[in-house]
Amino acid sequence: MKVGVVTFPGSLDDRDAARAVRAVGAEAVSLWHGDADLKGVDAVVLPGGFSYGDYLRCGAIARFAPVMDALIPAAQGGLPVLGICNGFQVLCESHLLPGALIRNDHRKFNCVDQRLVVENASTTWTSDFEAGQEITIVLKNGEGGFVADERTLDELEGEGRVVFRYAGDNPNGSYRGIAGISNERGNIVGLMPHPEHCVEEGYGPSTDGLPFFTSVLRQVVSA
Amino acid sequence: MGHVVIDVMLKPEILDPQGQAVNGALPRLGFEQFTDVRQGKRFVLTVDGEVTDEVLAAAREAADKLLSNPVIEDVVSVRASDGETTDPGQ
């Protein structure tokens, strides 16, 4: 199985994302922002970082990169896509996921081991979790506040598309404590915390990031 | 050269942490009369020649497509500028 990892100018966590892909026995394929070519991959990770310097709005310029011209229709057609942090922002700017991410309400950069509740364990990227399971992974960003209008929030809740919710104190002012969401089909998932940093003992607070990658592996292999 | 000025503001219901930071600083400078601050963005687009209706229409399209995010922001104004306030040399 091949998982593509996109590198935009200013991507930061593409190497760690590729490492996480290899940690579960899949092949990591580098995808370049300037090429409208997905190289036949079975899934894609949009990594964290500060694409295009976060100028204009986080993810706003990356959304129009040539690779996104190939990725957007593929994702709409069912290709598994995981957006982490800046990748989540790119997915929202692309309208592949609803809502937007704004500056943390306390205006400080967060860098913490964050507890999350897995609310939906049936998406392509979360099927190796149990619904209601609590996990701890790294959260590090300045603009992680998830916002959307009330109707969209109700829709997300009603359809089980709130995939992750912050446990304990809300770290950034996200509406309804939302840390990650999915599209209706469950193949596209975005979240602010970083599973790719939590796949090896001795690095980070846990290995709770591994099930993200084993989930997609299992789904693609059984598809 | 002609200029088009585009103003974008966060929607009223969206929290504006930057505006709040500025709002917190004003009273410390003695500006006690202001009860709230909202911070927005201004874009100045330059074209060769005059700002025609076609140019304005293209600017509106750019404003909707790239310069603003309709989930959180409103394009409050797209207009031709007389250039006085937009010359980068000033």
Side-chain angles (χ1 to χ4, degrees):
Chain A
M1 165 170 171
K2 296 196 285 189
V3 179
V5 178
V6 177
T7 299
F8 296 104
S11 288
L12 189 62
D13 301 319
D14 42 342
R15 296 290 186 95
D16 269 23
R19 193 176 172 86
V21 166
R22 289 193 296 271
V24 298
E27 179 187 347
V29 176
S30 292
L31 301 177
W32 186 240
H33 68 98
D35 298 332
D37 179 6
L38 300 180
K39 299 186 180 173
V41 296
D42 303 297
V44 170
V45 177
L46 295 175
F50 302 88
S51 58
Y52 297 88
D54 274 354
Y55 293 133
L56 188 58
R57 299 176 304 278
C58 302
I61 300 177
R63 174 252 177 279
F64 292 103
V67 72
M68 295 303 293
D69 293 340
L71 182 61
I72 289 170
Q76 287 165 336
L79 183 77
V81 178
L82 177 67
I84 303 167
C85 195
N86 192 223
F88 184 20
Q89 295 163 339
V90 173
L91 289 175
C92 287
E93 283 284 343
S94 306
H95 308 303
L96 288 171
L97 293 176
L101 285 310
I102 66 165
R103 192 170 297 274
N104 296 341
D105 60 350
H106 48 69
R107 305 191 291 267
K108 293 188 283 288
F109 193 94
N110 264 335
C111 190
V112 296
D113 297 340
Q114 178 65 46
R115 290 188 298 123
L116 304 174
V117 175
V118 181
E119 302 246 323
N120 181 339
S122 62
T123 78
T124 305
W125 296 90
T126 58
S127 58
D128 277 357
F129 290 111
E130 301 286 335
Q133 186 179 343
E134 190 174 297
I135 64 173
T136 300
I137 59 177
V138 174
L139 177 69
K140 47 159 200 164
N141 59 66
E143 303 195 30
F146 180 77
V147 298
D149 59 42
E150 287 295 313
R151 188 185 54 79
T152 303
L153 293 169
D154 289 341
E155 200 174 285
L156 287 170
E157 302 263 18
E159 295 174 0
R161 291 165 57 195
V162 175
V163 183
F164 299 98
R165 214 184 294 269
Y166 296 111
D169 293 339
N170 188 329
N172 50 26
S174 289
Y175 290 1
R176 304 193 191 180
I178 291 173
I181 59 173
S182 75
N183 65 339
E184 285 175 39
R185 196 166 170 173
N187 63 300
I188 306 172
V189 170
L191 79 166
M192 288 312 297
H194 288 261
E196 83 284 14
H197 292 329
C198 305
V199 298
E200 288 165 290
E201 291 288 350
Y203 300 88
S206 71
T207 56
D208 289 343
L210 279 174
F212 288 77
F213 300 94
T214 55
S215 293
V216 71
L217 187 64
R218 195 181 313 280
Q219 299 252 339
V220 168
V221 169
S222 66
Chain B
M1 283 194 302
H3 302 285
V4 180
V5 176
I6 299 168
D7 290 325
V8 174
M9 294 296 294
L10 278 174
K11 287 181 187 292
E13 65 269 27
I14 300 293
L15 180 71
D16 178 10
Q18 293 183 102
Q20 291 195 341
V22 176
N23 193 38
L26 286 174
R28 292 199 292 275
L29 300 174
F31 298 106
E32 305 281 357
Q33 60 272 64
F34 303 112
T35 56
D36 192 25
V37 178
R38 303 284 291 177
Q39 184 174 327
K41 293 175 185 165
R42 167 169 289 185
F43 301 89
V44 181
L45 309 185
T46 304
V47 289
D48 292 331
E50 300 217 338
V51 176
T52 60
D53 287 348
E54 288 75 23
V55 166
L56 276 175
R60 282 192 199 95
E61 191 184 344
D64 291 338
K65 190 173 180 186
L66 176 65
L67 304 181
S68 70
N69 178 346
V71 175
I72 52 171
E73 293 170 322
D74 292 321
V75 178
V76 294
S77 159
V78 178
R79 63 191 186 281
S81 161
D82 55 16
E84 275 181 33
T85 58
T86 56
D87 183 346
Q90 288 184 12

